[in-house]
Amino acid sequence: MTTRRTNPKVDAVIVGFGWAGSLMAAELSRANMNVVAIDRGPWRDTFPDTPLTADPDELRWKTRRELLAPPHDTTLTMRNTLDQTAVPQRDFGISELGGGVGGQGFQWAGMAWRFNPWDFRVRSETIERYGMARAEDGELQLQDWGITYAELEPDYDRWEQIAGVAGQAGNLRGKLTSRGNPFEGPRSREYPTPKLKTLRMMEIFNKATSEMGLHPFTIPCANVSQAYVNPLGVTMAPCTYCGFCSSYGCGNYSKASPQTCVFPALLNNNPNFRLITNACVTRVNKAADGKSVTGVTYIDQNGSEVLQPADIICLTAFQMENVRLMLLSGIGKPYDPLTSEGVVGRNFSFQTVSGADLWFEEDHINPFIGAGGLGSQIDDYNSDNFDHSSLDFIGGAGILTLSRDGTPIANANKLPPGTPRWGSGFKRAYSNYYQNYGVLFNQGTSMPIKRGYLDLDPTYKDPFGLPLLRLTYDYARNDRAMATFTMNRAIQIGKRMGASQFSAFNFAEKPFTTAIGASNHTIGGAVMGADPTSSAVNSYLQSWDCHNVFVVGASAFPNNGGYNPTGTVGALALRAARAICGNYARKPGALQKG
Amino acid sequence: MDDEDVRTLKAVFDRLIPEDQFGPSASKVGCLDFLDAQLTGGYGEASTLYREGPEQPHEEQMLQKAQFIAIPRERYRAGLQALRAYILETDGASFADLPPSRQDEILAGMEQGTIKLGMALNTGAFFELMLTNVREGYFADPYYGGNKDMAGWKMIGFPGARYDYRAYTDRTGQKLNLVPVSLVPKN
Ligand SMILES: Cc1cc2nc3c(=O)[nH]c(=O)nc-3n(C[C@H](O)[C@H](O)[C@H](O)COP(=O)(O)OP(=O)(O)OC[C@H]3O[C@@H](n4cnc5c(N)ncnc54)[C@H](O)[C@@H]3O)c2cc1C
Ligand code: SF4
């Protein structure tokens, strides 16, 4: 660090410019605040990075993962239990961090969910329905979110409008229909664009699950189904089902991303906004009173240390980095896993995944036709949609099949058990089963445990010499039981679908590891709630300790739903922005009483 | 890599993906050129890996996956050297000169853990590295030097770097006979 300089003070600084950061920046600058966003990665956009002529490239984007931040620059360490020494995650694993502006939102798949109303009140609902012993089993650490689904509904709605989400309502203002998901929370209006087409794997799944009396529906996705103009005035084009979607950009302006849906409105001739790229924030600077902060410190691309003063600081650097920055800056009391006291690092959760690989005979799945978020799902075994009285767990999983990912390098691993992995036997099998492979993926809830948490690693450092985040975690007994239960449901469904061969999988039957990518949905560590002794932020994602810090991302979820997280991240970002523009700007201070 | 290493690697790749009724061999479609280009670039240097010490003896056990600080270029050099020494001792020959059935036996032994090429080498992981890379070469876009004439894609029926399937979304379950296309017009 050679020199040190100070930028002019602004109203708000946004740390990390992915979905959460760009949404907050857009809403704050619309309210005439003077905003600076700082991102560790370089500028990145459809042009020049992933135009139509460069996007359909499996090796570059999906195998070599050129859009992700390399572990070399940012990674974590892990262990399962407190008595172990954590080891660094050296290669890409469960964390697939954004490598440029737009964050992961540039190369995400686009499954665009709302959580189930139950997910926000797991603790209260479990006690009410199944008794205290189920909620307090000695291992779990359940706590409510401090808001309800109904309170968040308007923000979910606005997020979906911004992203152009394609879908079909299953619960319109309380009126249920089986054309959508009848288990979803009540929606105030239809999805902004109609659901996508039903492709071959979905047909097979829909038929089998309907015959079994279950309720299949098309997964809502941010791969828009028709030409669309969002509320920020940005235009999107219909998805072409190109299939180079999850882990890729979109050359077609069809996949919702910060670039496609937010940047044009924010960056074009906007005197209220400035973006600083290739700049890594290393610390939030606390004020002398300890109750507020004065700005952030970042290291620019020349290695110089720069101060960015601001009245409001929004941490939107993704779940993990949000938590790390809080720990590095001393904002909020670090969590102690032995006493369950403290809030920063608390309630890490993941995504509990099981399912089954399926193989058919003589079909033409045409897996190359698809979109990142396209698939069918049943929610009959998700959340608390089924009675758990006689079961020994809470929660469940969305059981889904996908119409995507027909790319040939990755799928060479998707062959029936016992098939040769090389030689002529491999070539024969792959020639046959490339067209006949499908998956049932159970995207399960994840419940936090007392001994699962995040803190700073005592040994390993990042390239700036700052400690890596250390994750201590293993699946809860509850979640293992859930994963086995839903795996068995997947096997039944797979049989009914007519699979000639199947191979069930359950990531939770072994100890948790960051090296094997069951999911990239890491959750918690700066969770929201109504009680400052068990949450780091209030229901507006405002730090209880420093009132001008807002911590936005999946870091705020006290537990994970059986869904992908980004819809809920988007809704919470919009809610936080609303609170800042409305109440906080007028009267800075705590927005809620602890 | 010296000529002997290249000869060995060609023989290994052509057992992993041999010439048969399903399509040409790995070397015929350029998988060695592919690997050469990959090892020369960022991939060969493991530029994305977190390589800071200390290395913990239990990294592999904790993560349930082989861990490497060594870069792929070094791993190939060490792996091929160990393979050469092993075959010289067991068969008194070069891998490339052995009959295919014996070559397969050795590869299967490496894959299944019954053959250990040396104390310092994770033999199973070296086998996986070669298998991963030969498949990449066979199925990546021809732009990268392998998959010549899109032979890998033709074998399985993958239409390549196409960008619009809207004309086909209603023809579910049908054979579409789409001619594959590559990112590069000629390869
Ligand atoms: C391949 C893939 C598929 C996915 N599919 C889905 C899906 O189908 N549905 C779904 O809901 N979710 C999906 N996700 C997850 C989804 O993309 C993320 O949940 C979401 O984008 C997170 O948004 P965010 O703004 O919180 O964080 P990010 O998108 O991670 O953005 C954080 C930003 O902060 C920057 N940053 C980090 N640290 C610093 C620092 N110290 N200083 C400055 N800047 C910093 C980063 O560069 C990044 O741009 C997927 C993710 C991937 C990678
Ligand atoms: S599948 Fe659709 S949304 Fe996804 S990259 Fe292709 S065109 Fe874009």
Side-chain angles (χ1 to χ4, degrees), chain A residues 52 55 57 64 71-72 85 90 197 203 240-241 251 366 413 421-424 427 434 460-461 511 513, chain B residues 16 18 20 23-24 38 48 50 52 54 56 58-59 63-64 111 128 135-136 144 158 163 165 170 172 174:
Chain A
L52 294 180
D55 198 45
D57 184 345
R64 301 281 181 257
H72 175 273
T85 303
R90 299 189 177 281
K197 301 261 185 183
E203 283 179 353
T240 59
Y241 301 82
N366 294 326
N413 283 319
R421 298 168 63 231
W422 49 278
S424 283
K427 290 175 79 181
Y434 173 72
Y460 294 95
K461 307 269 192 288
T513 162
Chain B
L16 296 179
D20 57 21
Q38 291 295 307
T48 61
Y50 181 79
E52 297 303 310
Q56 308 271 358
H58 64 296
E59 282 188 20
L63 294 171
Q64 302 169 42
E111 180 188 22
E128 294 300 327
R135 284 174 170 187
E136 286 169 358
Y144 295 99
F158 177 66
Y163 213 82
Y165 290 112
D170 291 331
T172 54
Q174 293 180 27

Side-chain angles (χ1 to χ4, degrees), chain A residues 380-421:
Chain A
D380 300 68
Y381 301 112
N382 206 351
S383 314
D384 200 34
N385 300 340
F386 56 112
D387 185 15
H388 291 66
S389 307
S390 61
L391 301 169
D392 60 349
F393 63 87
I394 56 165
I399 300 184
L400 63 98
T401 195
L402 293 164
S403 284
R404 77 163 195 214
D405 291 343
T407 42
I409 298 172
N411 280 23
N413 283 319
K414 306 290 187 191
L415 295 176
T419 308
R421 298 168 63 231

